[in-house]
Amino acid sequence: MDFSTPGTPGARTEQRLVLRPGDAGYDDELAGFQTGFAQRPDVVFAASGTDDVVAAVAYAAEAGLPVGVQATGHGLPDASHGGVLITTRHMDEVVVDPEARTVRVGAGVRWGQVVAAAAEHGLAPLNGSAPSVGAVSYTLGGGLGILAREFGYAADHVRSLDVVTADGAVRHVTAESEPELFWGLLGGGANLGAVTALEIGLVPVARLYGGALAFDGRAVDPAAILRAYTAWTETVPDEVTSSVAALVYPDLPMLPEALRGRYLVTVRVAYTGSAEDGERLVAPLRAIGPAHEDSLRELPYTESHTIHSDPDFPHAYYGESRMLDALDTAGLERLVSLAGPAADRMHVVQLNHLGGALARPAANAVPHRDARWLLRILSPLDGAAGADRETLREFYADALAGVERHAVGRSLNFTFGGGDRTEGLYDPETRKRLAGLKALYDPANLFRRNYDVS
């Protein structure tokens, strides 16, 4: 259904598409990567430009309805019913300025688009591991990328943001024009308005050395792999960003035959130095034992997504994360064991090595920069998401108990549907400062379909 003004039937326009339950296209517009938490808004504004976002915010403010913003649907905080949802998938403009080494991205742009456009100029964004993730929402949560230890969070490289705040104003925000709002938007998620575009700095990276080194967890002791990996991270330079993941692959026809039913513990590496130095750096990892897969190689940055090979099909999932200032090896090994072959369902456990540029202060609200590790666990959802989520929470509480004494918080980018629990996402001072900005820019808490800081 199309409207010339919000909520009122009128002539069809190409600028604004407003959908309600039962309208043709309503379900398609809501479809996203996360399928476990139903989104059933009263009104969907399928935005194709800033004017559409302004209209949606004005409509919601007048009607007193909560507002959510969805690009690709990877980071849905929870199920939601009623209110207004702004979908930004149609705002997909990508403009690279090779001289300034910047890119302007619309609110619906996916990282794969940015990687391809930047590569034409020998440049790269600080994207994450999955090319289908939305660039803007990822960056507003901080953005932990595959080159993070060398270059920091994606949010650290933002030059400007275009945002529609709760009063309907369109603001072009920089660190110079509105430093406090700039600070809060980067790390504060979708709490302070609907961001319509970002200008982000690019880095001069056209190729790297990297890939995956996978071990059969039934043939090589997972505890030995974890100990060797964590010891190895103490020896590498900041130009090396890495993680280790453990999971039992389900026996599903959508997976390659070589993965079905396998229990793999996989080290992923990205290094911007030479292939010769890369081979020397990873030699201790190869010495751990025979590899089920070894894809470590020199590769163009356009193939960087193959390092992690994240699933590209929509599915239902839930998870939890911990930012850690140190690692309890016994606690980590217990977690991996509980989530391994003996578990009653599939769990993905991943440990990211932090530090390096991630620890440097920046003019944004991305918290927990003193963390040395990010530990996360993700699980597919079965049946009713709400009931299944409670079952998983009980499992996570037990499985993570061994590392809690080193936890400094949780990661906003990796809450995986935990929008009803916001504790630990920010340190107290950052949370207080964000709440002050929320009271100033969104006093009615219009933007509350997110990880709320009010």
Side-chain angles (χ1 to χ4, degrees):
M1 186 181 297
D2 292 282
F3 295 90
S4 56
T5 56
T8 303
R12 180 177 179 87
T13 68
E14 294 182 359
Q15 288 73 35
R16 189 166 306 141
L17 179 62
V18 181
L19 300 165
R20 299 180 185 275
D23 287 345
Y26 175 87
D27 290 331
D28 289 341
E29 193 63 30
L30 293 177
F33 192 80
Q34 165 67 278
T35 64
F37 299 101
Q39 308 296 300
R40 305 302 297 175
D42 294 325
V43 186
V44 178
F45 281 75
S48 58
T50 300
D51 288 347
D52 298 339
V53 178
V54 171
V57 171
Y59 175 82
E62 182 178 356
L65 296 173
V67 177
V69 181
Q70 177 177 313
T72 63
H74 281 74
L76 295 180
D78 208 340
S80 69
H81 299 272
V84 172
L85 181 68
I86 304 170
T87 59
T88 63
R89 67 172 68 183
H90 310 288
M91 301 173 67
D92 59 355
E93 182 182 47
V94 179
V95 179
V96 175
D97 183 338
E99 296 301 320
R101 289 183 179 175
T102 62
V103 60
R104 178 178 171 83
V105 298
V109 168
R110 298 169 184 258
W111 273 127
Q113 299 169 257
V114 187
V115 169
E120 295 180 10
H121 308 281
L123 301 169
L126 295 178
N127 57 289
S129 58
S132 63
V133 166
V136 169
S137 49
Y138 161 99
T139 303
L140 297 181
L144 181 66
I146 60 175
L147 301 179
R149 278 178 37 84
E150 181 172 2
F151 296 107
Y153 288 98
D156 301 345
H157 294 259
V158 172
R159 308 287 181 84
S160 67
L161 310 93
D162 292 339
V163 60
V164 179
T165 45
D167 58 359
V170 180
R171 303 171 186 267
H172 181 71
V173 181
T174 69
E176 293 74 32
S177 67
E178 294 183 82
E180 191 68 2
L181 181 57
F182 181 86
W183 174 89
L185 287 167
L186 296 170
N191 271 281
L192 303 176
V195 173
T196 59
L198 294 179
E199 183 185 12
I200 312 172
L202 301 170
V203 295
V205 174
R207 42 71 58 202
L208 51 78
Y209 176 88
L213 189 62
F215 301 94
D216 185 334
R218 294 185 176 93
V220 183
D221 181 11
I225 300 169
L226 294 171
R227 289 193 294 270
Y229 168 72
T230 54
W232 174 78
T233 62
E234 298 294 328
T235 70
V236 299
D238 291 352
E239 291 78 14
V240 174
T241 302
S242 67
S243 64
V244 61
L247 72 151
V248 180
Y249 284 90
D251 188 3
L252 296 174
M254 65 187 68
L255 293 175
E257 183 68 33
L259 293 180
R260 295 180 194 174
R262 289 276 188 175
Y263 178 36
L264 296 183
V265 182
T266 304
V267 180
R268 287 83 68 94
V269 177
Y271 171 57
T272 56
S274 69
E276 180 182 6
D277 287 342
E279 287 286 300
R280 176 180 55 80
L281 283 168
V282 302
L285 297 176
R286 285 184 166 136
I288 293 172
H292 173 74
E293 175 195 1
D294 184 346
S295 64
L296 292 164
R297 67 201 189 281
E298 187 168 41
L299 66 156
Y301 195 79
T302 51
E303 295 179 13
S304 60
H305 63 281
T306 65
I307 295 173
H308 291 75
S309 296
D310 288 338
D312 58 2
F313 52 88
H315 56 285
Y317 50 92
Y318 183 60
E320 187 54 279
S321 65
R322 292 292 184 271
M323 304 288 281
L324 306 172
D325 61 10
L327 199 59
D328 187 311
T329 304
L332 174 63
E333 292 173 7
R334 178 176 180 272
L335 167 60
V336 170
S337 177
L338 289 173
D344 62 359
R345 72 168 79 197
M346 173 186 173
H347 302 285
V348 182
V349 177
Q350 179 164 313
L351 181 71
N352 287 73
H353 182 212
L354 305 180
L358 294 165
R360 299 171 192 162
N364 57 52
V366 180
H368 308 315
R369 289 179 179 265
D370 55 338
R372 296 181 58 197
W373 302 95
L374 166 63
L375 177 62
R376 43 186 163 136
I377 181 169
L378 181 146
S379 313
L381 285 170
D382 298 324
D388 202 30
R389 182 165 63 177
E390 292 308 312
T391 300
L392 285 169
R393 279 185 178 169
E394 292 178 8
F395 173 78
Y396 297 159
D398 178 45
L400 291 167
V403 302
E404 292 289 13
R405 66 191 181 98
H406 292 300
V408 297
R410 301 160 66 213
S411 170
L412 181 62
N413 278 142
F414 302 106
T415 47
F416 302 122
D420 59 333
R421 294 177 60 242
T422 60
E423 63 270 18
L425 293 179
Y426 302 97
D427 59 88
E429 184 57 35
T430 299
R431 177 66 181 256
K432 179 180 178 181
R433 191 172 168 187
L434 284 171
L437 284 169
K438 182 75 168 177
L440 179 64
Y441 286 98
D442 186 12
N445 198 12
L446 196 69
F447 293 98
R448 59 182 183 270
R449 291 286 170 79
N450 51 43
Y451 297 93
D452 194 9
V453 299
S454 61

